[in-house]
Amino acid sequence: MAKLKPYILSEDARAQAEFYTQALGGRIESVTTHEQAMGAQNEFKDKVMHMCFSIPGENYIFMADAIEPVTRGGDIALSVEFGTQEEAAASFDKLSEGGKVKHPLEMQPFGIFYGELVDKYQVTWMITA
């Protein structure tokens, strides 16, 4: 059995992960810098080499500070399903702060509560309940 583990490269992994844990719930589980992992003593020593944060439902997302410039793409979306419309709406509102709502969070003709947004870090989220 395989497990999907999304991994986001960021210009500031600590700030981005804090934004997500505030919006979605959860917490930062671990942070390892280049200095901690490999003893680096250069301009990358304080950059995040590996970070793990959790969101409710025993889901984990991994992050790292990008060493090379980050190119944002629109070809991936993260989908989070919540147990209630209220939970979905609260997270949707928080994630959309500073971002752009593509589809408002509302009941869809196909029978689910759904909304889509691009957050302030240019990550696309599909929220359902």
Side-chain angles (χ1 to χ4, degrees):
M1 177 186 277
K3 288 185 180 182
L4 178 63
K5 296 182 178 181
Y7 207 104
I8 300 171
L9 295 177
S10 175
E11 293 169 344
D12 186 347
R14 288 179 177 94
Q16 194 169 346
E18 183 63 33
F19 175 75
Y20 293 148
T21 58
Q22 293 297 315
L24 298 167
R27 66 175 196 230
I28 295 172
E29 301 288 337
S30 64
V31 178
T32 304
T33 65
H34 285 265
E35 181 179 36
Q36 292 168 320
M38 301 184 310
Q41 293 299 311
N42 55 32
E43 69 272 19
F44 304 123
K45 73 177 189 165
D46 295 324
K47 287 196 171 278
V48 174
M49 183 176 178
H50 182 77
M51 173 188 287
C52 175
F53 68 93
S54 62
I55 60 174
E58 296 186 38
N59 295 290
Y60 298 91
I61 298 175
F62 298 92
M63 294 190 73
D65 286 326
I67 301 301
E68 299 175 1
V70 175
T71 302
R72 305 286 182 200
D75 53 351
I76 295 280
L78 298 177
S79 178
V80 181
E81 179 182 354
F82 290 89
T84 68
Q85 291 179 6
E86 292 78 18
E87 291 172 314
S91 289
F92 188 90
D93 289 345
K94 291 174 186 173
L95 281 171
S96 65
E97 290 175 12
K100 179 184 175 196
V101 174
K102 293 175 72 177
H103 303 287
L105 187 63
E106 57 193 9
M107 184 57 72
Q108 299 298 316
F110 44 88
I112 65 169
F113 199 59
Y114 171 86
E116 186 174 329
L117 64 98
V118 178
D119 72 26
K120 65 183 180 180
Y121 298 102
Q122 302 303 306
V123 173
T124 300
W125 294 88
M126 298 183 306
I127 305 296
T128 62

